[in-house]
RNA sequence: GUGAAUGUAGCUCAGCUGGUUAGAGCACUAGAUUGUGGUUCUAGGGGUCGCCGGUUCGAACCCGGUCUUUCACCCCA
């Protein structure tokens, strides 16, 4: 018995109907990126493992898909390590390539590699799939598309503002209500510094993040379990219970961490970004949220996250500033800031909210029925002119198929018009044009057909 | 990586405390209709009940394992 065909866990096929809608997302995202002066690049699906490993933290290394070396890959593997079943060490001996985990690290590699050919500030966008060996669940896939926009080689906060404008414009065009959460790594560093625990940024942030879920007592309990002294936890209280407008939050934060130079720097950055954004007037809501911990491994300044207001699916866009991402590849003092749109989640959101427009632009407008060799040849001539007029059109290929079947084909593909040409029509130099929706048909000439179908 | 659920026709699912030949709707094919789809009517094809093993006179149903999918945790788009 033939084995049932299937695809790997967490991956998906996309039907023509889905691709029309996916392309709608890619096209609008791309359009906005280009409008702001970003240019496309692409990088290979696989990178050397050395450029990938250690960039995403311990967890990230586990989630990397590794590619087995070609040929007799066990030949050079250490026999004792194999015998010990030491997966981690054996891996490095039998695999030197991996699938990209995101687009940011390959981009950093790209910038360093072509630094002499790149004009800074370098603004690029990149829309490609990435792979993570995660366990799939709602809105989480093992292969998914990211749409990254980054600018490197500029420290100006105007870049942060521009990215927020891009977020605003993309979601306005897609008609999705979103909330943009803003944080700043420097503020978090200032908090940790102020309470004398500079190493504990992540523990603190992760704990604060759970306030909604587990409540204040549990958060404090968790902080204590992480080894924070009581005094530090006490000083954290105003931060944990931070509420109010962005301005109110900033003033509370300032009163707590005002003595930390880096913390103040962070506050000033946020204030600059917020006031600039306010001046140019974005339609999306911006909320200062200190619990944003994403990408903490390499972000150094602003951190962004975007959530859909009307669907619970996690974040659909995220990003931030990284002062030294290219540093690990040997290029110092190049700062970058960027964001990534999660196309697959955006697709899910738009599907759930039924936001996709009726899009027949990519589909066939008129099908020519095929009655035989002579008729097909005649239709082909007309077809060229119809296409010349910018109308998507096709001829049914098999003249042995009954008209019933050919009509069925048009119906299934939702082709709005069918052109019927037999002996009679050919003699009269006319076309029997049937409008599928109404079922009505009329005898027309080519110019009329183009006018009716093209309308 | 941890915990829980799920798997019956191409799809969505029914199938009684284990009982003989496993069903429905949709989809598909053909005909009613040899130049007319979507509606209607008629007929038909399609399943070793995820896989392997066990219990039993007998398993889609009970038990064990395994894989798949889904949900939550961790983390993340």
């Amino acid at each position: 018995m033939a084995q049932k065909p299937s695809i790997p866990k967490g991956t998906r096929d996309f039907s023509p109907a889905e691709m029309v809608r996916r392309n709608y997302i890619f096209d609008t995202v791309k359009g906005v990126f280009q409008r702001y002066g970003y240019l496309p690049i692409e990088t290979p699906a696989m990178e050397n493992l050395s450029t990938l490993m250690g960039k995403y933290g311990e967890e990230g290394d586990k989630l990397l898909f590794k590619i087995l070396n070609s040929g007799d890959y066990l030949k050079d593997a250490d026999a004792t390590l194999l015998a010990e079943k030491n997966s981690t060490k054996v891996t490095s001996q039998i695999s030197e390539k991996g699938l990209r985990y995101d687009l940011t690290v390959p981009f950093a590699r790209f910038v360093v590699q072509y630094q002499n050919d790149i004009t800074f500030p370098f603004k690029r966008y990149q829309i490609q799939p990435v792979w993570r060996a995660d366990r799939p669940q709602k809105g989480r896939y093992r292969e998914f598309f990211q749409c990254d926009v980054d600018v490197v080689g500029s420290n100006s906060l105007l870049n942060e503002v521009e990215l927020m404008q891009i977020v605003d414009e993309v979601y306005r065009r897609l008609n999705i209500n979103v909330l943009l959460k803003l944080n700043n790594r420097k503020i978090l560093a200032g908090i940790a510094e102020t309470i004398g625990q500079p190493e504990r940024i992540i523990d603190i942030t992760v704990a604060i993040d759970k306030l909604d879920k587990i409540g204040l007592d549990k958060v404090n309990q968790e902080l204590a379990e992480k080894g924070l002294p009581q005094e530090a936890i006490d000083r954290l209280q105003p931060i944990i219970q931070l509420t109010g407008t962005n301005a109110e939050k900033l003033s509370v934060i300032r009163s707590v961490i005002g003595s930390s130079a880096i913390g103040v720097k962070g506050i000033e950055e946020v204030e600059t970004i917020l006031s600039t954004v306010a001046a140019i007037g974005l339609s999306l809501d911006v909320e200062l949220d200190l619990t944003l911990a994403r990408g903490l491994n390499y972000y150094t300044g602003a951190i962004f996250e975007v959530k859909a207001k009307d669907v619970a699916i996690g974040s659909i866009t995220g990003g931030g500033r990284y002062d030294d991402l290219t540093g690990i590849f040997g290029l110092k003092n190049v700062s970058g800031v960027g964001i990534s749109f999660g196309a697959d989640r955006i697709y899910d959101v738009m599907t759930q909210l039924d936001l996709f427009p009726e899009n027949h632009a990519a589909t066939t407008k008129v099908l020519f029925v095929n009655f035989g060799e002579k008729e097909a040849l005649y239709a082909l001539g007309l077809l060229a002119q119809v296409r010349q007029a910018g109308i998507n059109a096709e001829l049914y290929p098999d003249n042995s198929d009954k008209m019933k079947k050919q009509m069925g084909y048009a119906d299934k593909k939702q082709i709005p018009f069918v052109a019927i040409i037999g002996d009679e029509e050919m003699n009269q130099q006319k076309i029997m044009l049937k409008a599928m929706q109404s079922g009505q048909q009329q005898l027309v000439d080519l110019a009329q057909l183009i006018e009716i179908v093209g309308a």
Side-chain angles (χ1 to χ4, degrees):
Chain A
M1 188 177 69
Q3 154 195 5
K4 249 191 186 177
S6 64
I7 55 175
K9 189 201 289 270
T11 64
R12 294 152 301 156
D13 292 317
F14 300 112
S15 67
E18 288 168 319
M19 280 313 296
V20 167
R21 291 187 287 183
R22 284 175 67 82
N23 283 338
Y24 172 74
I25 295 173
F26 290 132
D27 290 344
T28 60
V29 166
K30 213 179 288 180
V32 175
F33 292 169
Q34 283 168 354
R35 182 63 48 82
Y36 283 80
Y38 294 77
L39 294 172
I41 71 162
E42 287 200 5
T43 61
M46 63 182 104
E47 292 275 347
N48 293 326
L49 225 38
S50 56
T51 95
L52 261 19
M53 294 289 283
K55 308 299 189 299
Y56 310 103
E58 225 175 295
E59 198 73 20
D61 285 353
K62 281 191 214 153
L63 299 181
L64 280 171
F65 277 107
K66 286 125 192 153
I67 297 173
L68 236 33
N69 291 341
S70 308
D72 190 2
Y73 55 83
L74 274 182
K75 196 175 54 188
D76 298 325
D78 187 308
T80 49
L81 291 178
L82 272 175
E84 287 169 10
K85 303 198 172 174
N86 188 328
S87 302
T88 344
K89 286 190 178 160
V90 171
T91 297
S92 63
Q93 296 187 335
I94 63 175
S95 166
E96 55 187 20
K97 298 178 290 297
L99 295 178
R100 73 167 96 78
Y101 179 90
D102 70 0
L103 299 178
T104 308
V105 167
F107 175 53
R109 191 220 84 222
F110 181 96
V111 169
V112 175
Q113 211 171 321
Y114 303 103
Q115 51 185 287
N116 296 319
D117 309 319
I118 290 172
T119 309
F120 294 98
F122 181 45
K123 300 169 76 165
R124 74 90 230 227
Y125 72 84
Q126 187 172 354
I127 299 176
Q128 290 190 273
V130 304
W131 294 268
R132 297 183 188 177
D134 218 347
R135 189 177 282 208
Q137 55 179 269
K138 194 180 182 67
R140 178 179 296 189
Y141 309 101
R142 291 183 131 181
E143 176 185 64
F144 60 99
F145 274 72
Q146 290 191 326
C147 313
D148 273 35
V149 244
D150 293 75
V151 40
V152 295
S154 165
N155 292 308
S156 169
L157 292 175
L158 247 27
N159 297 307
E160 273 84 342
V161 171
E162 179 167 284
L163 292 174
M164 291 167 72
Q165 285 180 281
I166 287 174
V167 169
D168 189 42
E169 187 155 347
V170 164
Y171 288 115
R172 206 171 51 227
R173 288 193 190 186
L174 294 178
N175 220 352
I176 300 175
N177 290 318
V178 295
L179 171 66
L180 188 148
K181 293 188 174 188
L182 179 67
N183 194 7
N184 194 295
R185 171 66 179 259
K186 293 190 178 84
I187 292 180
L188 297 176
I191 293 169
E193 190 180 292
T194 302
I195 62 172
Q197 305 287 327
E199 308 297 320
R200 312 305 285 276
I201 301 181
I202 293 171
D203 285 342
I204 294 168
T205 311
V206 167
I208 295 177
D209 187 31
K210 294 180 181 165
L211 183 62
D212 283 345
K213 276 187 195 167
I214 62 178
L216 181 60
D217 293 342
K218 289 266 178 64
V219 169
N220 287 331
Q221 190 184 323
E222 182 166 327
L223 287 169
E225 280 166 10
K226 295 282 182 186
L228 250 66
Q230 190 56 46
E231 186 215 2
I233 295 175
D234 289 341
R235 296 191 62 178
L236 225 40
Q237 292 311 300
I239 301 281
I240 296 177
Q241 302 178 66
L242 201 59
T243 55
T245 65
N246 292 336
E248 286 164 359
K249 287 179 183 173
L250 279 169
S251 94
V252 172
I253 296 166
R254 189 186 286 278
S255 71
V256 176
I257 67 170
S259 61
S260 160
I262 189 164
V264 170
K265 183 83 169 55
I267 293 170
E268 284 168 357
E269 285 186 10
V270 169
E271 281 173 344
T272 304
I273 292 170
L274 287 178
S275 65
T276 310
V277 162
I280 56 179
L282 296 188
S283 53
L284 60 75
D285 291 330
V286 180
E287 179 192 313
L288 179 61
D289 182 353
L290 290 190
T291 68
L292 253 195
R294 79 179 38 269
L296 225 47
N297 287 320
Y298 50 74
Y299 290 137
T300 54
I303 302 174
F304 306 109
E305 175 173 288
V306 178
K307 288 193 153 183
K309 280 183 175 174
D310 306 317
V311 179
I313 196 175
S315 67
I316 52 178
T317 294
R321 176 170 293 272
Y322 34 89
D323 280 339
D324 201 32
L325 193 69
T326 58
I328 46 178
F329 297 118
L331 180 61
K332 301 284 181 199
N333 300 320
V334 177
S335 181
V337 58
I339 49 171
S340 177
F341 290 80
D344 305 84
R345 285 191 179 173
I346 292 173
Y347 181 94
D348 291 345
V349 167
M350 293 184 67
T351 302
Q352 277 187 49
L353 299 177
D354 199 21
L355 291 178
F356 285 106
E358 287 285 324
N359 191 351
H360 296 305
T363 63
T364 303
K365 286 286 189 297
V366 55
L367 172 79
F368 283 70
V369 169
N370 189 339
F371 281 134
E373 245 171 76
K374 178 171 50 104
E375 291 87 343
L377 207 57
Y378 181 83
L380 241 22
L382 297 176
L383 207 41
Q385 297 179 66
V386 171
R387 289 174 178 149
Q388 193 76 38
I391 293 168
N392 300 341
E394 59 182 299
L395 168 69
Y396 194 88
D398 299 302
N399 62 33
S400 55
D401 282 344
K402 292 176 189 163
M403 184 164 179
K404 178 184 170 71
K405 179 154 186 188
Q406 301 191 30
M407 293 297 287
Y409 172 83
D411 187 51
K412 287 278 164 52
K413 271 188 92 171
Q414 295 188 43
I415 298 172
F417 294 96
V418 171
I420 300 161
I421 304 167
D423 277 333
E424 216 159 296
E425 286 80 6
M426 283 169 72
N427 287 337
Q428 292 181 63
Q429 304 257 313
K430 297 275 188 183
I431 303 154
M432 186 59 81
L433 183 65
K434 172 160 181 163
M436 293 298 275
Q437 207 174 346
S438 65
Q440 288 180 342
Q441 53 190 48
Q442 56 182 320
L443 208 55
V444 300
D445 61 27
L446 183 62
Q448 288 172 302
L449 182 146
I450 288 170
E451 196 191 322
I452 295 169
V453 176

